Amino acid sequence: VWMGTPAGLVSLRGDRFVRLTEGDGLPCDHVNHLLDDGGGHLWMACEGGLARVAFDALDARLAGRSADIGGLFW
């Protein structure tokens, strides 16, 4: 489960919520809208623009396997 919030992108992992922010590579912390494109990417409308990030990259960041989420930002 993914949620856009004024404090970043939040995911429910097991029994706890975890958050990704600008420090993790998001274009901004305020995430307004989310869309799963069905092709392995999450699209986000943020105050700082539009972002497309692979779910695999989000999962890798949350697991500590990457320094940031990468992705495309406009």
Side-chain angles (χ1 to χ4, degrees):
V1 173
W2 293 95
M3 296 165 276
T5 75
L9 181 64
V10 176
S11 180
L12 178 61
R13 298 291 164 142
D15 62 349
R16 66 185 184 102
F17 290 98
V18 293
R19 181 170 55 114
L20 295 172
T21 65
E22 283 184 79
D24 298 296
L26 292 180
C28 70
D29 286 336
H30 194 141
V31 179
N32 296 310
H33 302 284
L34 301 175
L35 176 70
D36 178 343
D37 70 4
H41 294 92
L42 180 66
W43 288 80
M44 296 173 269
C46 304
E47 282 187 335
L50 185 64
R52 185 189 79 171
V53 181
F55 283 110
D56 289 343
L58 294 169
D59 291 335
R61 177 65 190 129
L62 289 174
R65 294 189 314 264
S66 67
D68 66 42
I69 61 168
L72 299 173
F73 308 106
W74 296 274

